[in-house]
């Protein structure tokens, strides 16, 4: 028993399927792997670094993240599959898919909140795409939907999946399907 009744998880998954979420896996928040090297990937491997409210340096550092996660006992891993041949292109189709995944995660967080899990908080997959161009460092246009990405919080997604005995699905070629992951912290 993870503290979230099985019928409620089933209903949550039903809502998630509208957003391509295929699985919701409850697990101990202690199994979330926070690693310093992940922030290096953001700083030196991502063009969004320093340009978004949902990416570093606007997000908390790993020391704060570990403290935050320690306030939760449960996490829900959201798993979906995407196939997007134009993944590396910055176009409208890609942005719409990112927004759909983002809003799906936020809507499940909201459902948890309304069911009494008042501390529910989403850590989304991929970068924020709610705005065509982020207003950062000016005020966010969607503060109620603003959430940090997993990687922006120094969360080693692959390491976390391995701790859970899961094999990540990573596309080797641009036309292959890949897995989308998000986490909702729950107490």
């Amino acid at each position: 028993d993870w503290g979230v009744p099985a019928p409620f998880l089933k209903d949550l998954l039903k809502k998630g399927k509208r957003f391509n979420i295929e699985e919701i896996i409850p697990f101990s928040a202690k199994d979330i792997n926070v690693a310093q090297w992940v922030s290096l990937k953001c700083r030196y491997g991502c063009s969004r670094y320093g340009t978004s409210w949902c990416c570093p340096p606007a997000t908390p550092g790993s020391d704060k993240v570990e403290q935050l996660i320690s306030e939760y006992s449960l996490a829900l891993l959201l798993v979906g599959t995407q196939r997007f041949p134009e993944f590396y292109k910055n176009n409208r189709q890609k942005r719409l898919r990112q927004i759909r995944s983002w809003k799906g995660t936020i809507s499940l967080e909201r459902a948890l909140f309304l069911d009494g899990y008042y501390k529910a908080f989403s850590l989304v997959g991929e970068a924020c795409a709610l705005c065509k161009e982020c207003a950062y460092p000016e005020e966010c246009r969607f503060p109620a939907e603003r959430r940090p990405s997993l990687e922006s919080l120094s969360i080693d997604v692959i390491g976390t999946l391995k701790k859970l005995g899961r094999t990540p699905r990573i596309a080797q070629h641009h036309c292959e399907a890949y897995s989308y992951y998000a986490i909702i912290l729950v107490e």
Side-chain angles (χ1 to χ4, degrees), residues 72 112-121 187:
Y72 289 87
L112 284 156
F113 174 81
L114 292 174
D115 202 58
Y117 300 93
Y118 70 96
K119 285 175 58 177
F121 190 75
E187 185 60 33

Side-chain angles (χ1 to χ4, degrees), residues 14-162:
K14 185 177 178 182
K15 290 175 185 170
K17 287 190 184 243
R18 292 187 302 222
F19 300 97
N20 294 333
I21 296 168
E22 300 162 350
E23 266 185 290
I24 299 177
I25 302 158
F27 69 100
S28 172
K30 292 177 185 172
D31 287 332
I32 295 173
N33 192 10
V34 177
Q36 297 294 321
W37 67 266
V38 179
S39 65
L40 291 175
K41 292 276 195 173
C42 285
R43 183 177 293 262
Y44 299 106
C46 183
S47 62
R48 293 199 182 227
Y49 184 86
T51 65
S52 169
W53 280 110
C54 301
C55 294
T59 54
S62 59
D63 56 332
K64 295 283 186 196
V65 172
E66 288 176 336
Q67 181 182 350
L68 168 76
I69 291 171
S70 75
E71 295 179 13
Y72 289 87
S73 60
L74 175 65
L76 301 176
L77 176 67
L78 310 182
V79 182
T81 301
Q82 302 240 14
R83 182 180 303 276
F84 194 52
E86 298 176 326
F87 181 82
Y88 289 105
K89 291 184 180 177
N90 192 13
N91 64 20
R92 186 175 187 277
Q93 262 190 322
K94 178 182 176 181
R95 184 169 165 256
L96 290 175
R97 285 179 188 235
Q98 287 175 294
I99 291 170
R100 182 181 169 100
S101 296
W102 192 283
K103 288 189 177 266
T105 302
I106 302 295
S107 71
L108 296 184
E109 173 194 313
R110 179 79 175 146
L112 284 156
F113 174 81
L114 292 174
D115 202 58
Y117 300 93
Y118 70 96
K119 285 175 58 177
F121 190 75
S122 298
L123 310 175
V124 296
E126 300 190 39
C128 181
L130 295 174
C131 298
K132 191 171 184 175
E133 187 175 323
C134 186
Y136 182 85
E138 303 301 320
E139 201 60 38
C140 177
R141 293 178 197 107
F142 297 98
E145 294 179 322
R146 181 174 72 196
R147 297 295 183 278
S149 71
L150 292 162
E151 295 83 0
S152 78
L153 296 178
S154 298
I155 293 175
D156 174 0
V157 177
I158 293 174
T160 300
L161 292 169
K162 287 180 179 180

